[in-house]
Structure formats: structure tokens, C-alpha cells
Amino acid sequence: MATVLSVSGSPSASSRTNRLLRHLDDRLVAQGHEVIPLDVRTIPAQALLGANFRHPAIVEVTELFARADGVVIATPVYKASYSGVLKALLDLLPQYALTGKTVLPLATGGSTAHVLAIDYALRPVLSSMGAAHVVQGWFTLDKDITVRDDGSVAVVASAAQALTQVIDQFSAALGHSPILAAAG
């Protein structure tokens, strides 16, 4: 069982990005992983924007990254890049905070024009932070994610299938193959 830090870079608690990520966390838990959710928006603004490396919240988050075997990073795409709150956090982490870690980048947005944000904006930062393996990420259109009245998430079939595949590949890269688990 791997420990996965599941990081939501959305500035909104009710965002599709955040809800989709928490929905995907359930699949990782079902595969036997320990998932630690982290919503960047809950980190005090004075710590993030003041670049206070010694702030207790930043120290705690740095320890969460150090403890994780794998990291899922999800972000809404704004102006062809990942969110500002996620950028603020990544800037405060140690240069090699992802060393030895498997990382899955996920993004959501309103237009397919933003699909490349994962590969051209987010992936280079994750690689520069020492990630051992940045697995194939996935971009999901906002219109393909529906938040039901009870807060649960429904994803259109084609996107759901692709998300299942990237989550399963991430899980396998962590050393726990869902295919082997089902066979065993």
C-alpha cells in the first residue's frame, strides 16, 4: 500500500476540479492506497503569499509531501496555466520535494484549447522538482463533470473511462497493480 498525497489546486471548495479529485481518491483507496487529501486553498493566505517557509502550515505541507510515495496534483486551468494558489504552494516547497515520487497531473477547464497546459505548464515544474516518474496526465472538460445535488460527481462515459485508465496506471506505477490485485 502506497501513501498518496492528493493535492487540489482549486481556489474553490465547490469546484468541479476539487470534487472530481475527491471522487478519484475513492478509487485509489479502493485499490488499497492511503490517500491524504490536501486542498491548497485551506493553507493560510499569509503563509502562501508572504512566502513564509517557516509558517507551521507550510512546514506541515512540506512534511506531507516528504511522507508521500505518490502525488496527484489537480488544477483548474486559467489562462492556459495551472492555478495561482497551486503555483504559490509549489514555489514554497523545497526544490526537490518530489524526488523519488510518482506524480499524476490532472487538469480541468472550459475548452480543449487548454489541454496542453498539463504538458507545457505543469509537467516541467513537476519534473524540475525531482519527480521520479510523471505518469500520463489527463485533462477533463468542465462540461463533462456534473455535480449532483448530493455533492457526488458524475463524469461522462468517455472521460470516466480515460480517468479510470490514468488512475490505474498511476496505481500500477506506485507498485500496486489493480489488475494483479483483481487476479489475486
Side-chain angles (χ1 to χ4, degrees):
M1 171 169 84
T3 299
V4 176
L5 183 60
S6 180
V7 181
S8 173
S10 177
S12 169
S14 62
S15 75
R16 287 182 178 94
T17 304
N18 191 61
R19 291 179 190 250
L20 177 64
L21 180 61
R22 297 303 161 234
H23 172 74
L24 297 173
D25 289 349
D26 293 341
R27 184 163 182 90
L28 289 169
V29 168
Q31 293 176 353
H33 300 294
E34 174 191 7
V35 175
I36 301 168
L38 171 63
D39 297 326
V40 178
R41 68 176 162 54
T42 64
I43 298 171
Q46 65 270 27
L48 283 174
L49 301 177
N52 185 350
F53 295 92
R54 292 190 178 104
H55 189 284
I58 300 303
V59 170
E60 180 182 350
V61 167
T62 301
E63 290 169 359
L64 288 175
F65 272 87
R67 186 175 141 209
D69 301 304
V71 180
V72 178
I73 297 199
T75 181
V77 175
Y78 301 119
K79 303 204 187 299
S81 188
Y82 53 94
S83 72
V85 294
L86 180 58
K87 168 79 167 121
L89 173 64
L90 294 176
D91 285 350
L92 290 176
L93 292 174
Q95 177 62 46
Y96 297 106
L98 298 175
T99 297
K101 311 218 182 290
T102 299
V103 181
L104 169 60
L106 300 171
T108 62
S111 164
T112 57
H114 298 302
V115 166
L116 294 176
I118 290 176
D119 288 331
Y120 290 101
L122 192 53
R123 184 178 297 274
V125 173
L126 301 174
S127 294
S128 77
M129 294 178 72
H133 183 46
V134 181
V135 300
Q136 181 66 42
W138 189 256
F139 177 87
T140 305
L141 286 167
D142 288 339
K143 71 178 184 70
D144 291 342
I145 306 165
T146 302
V147 178
R148 298 181 184 122
D149 291 339
D150 66 358
S152 64
V153 172
V155 182
V156 299
S158 59
Q161 181 179 2
L163 285 164
T164 296
Q165 184 176 353
V166 297
I167 288 292
D168 290 352
Q169 289 172 347
F170 174 69
S171 183
L174 289 170
H176 181 277
S177 172
I179 295 166
L180 295 176

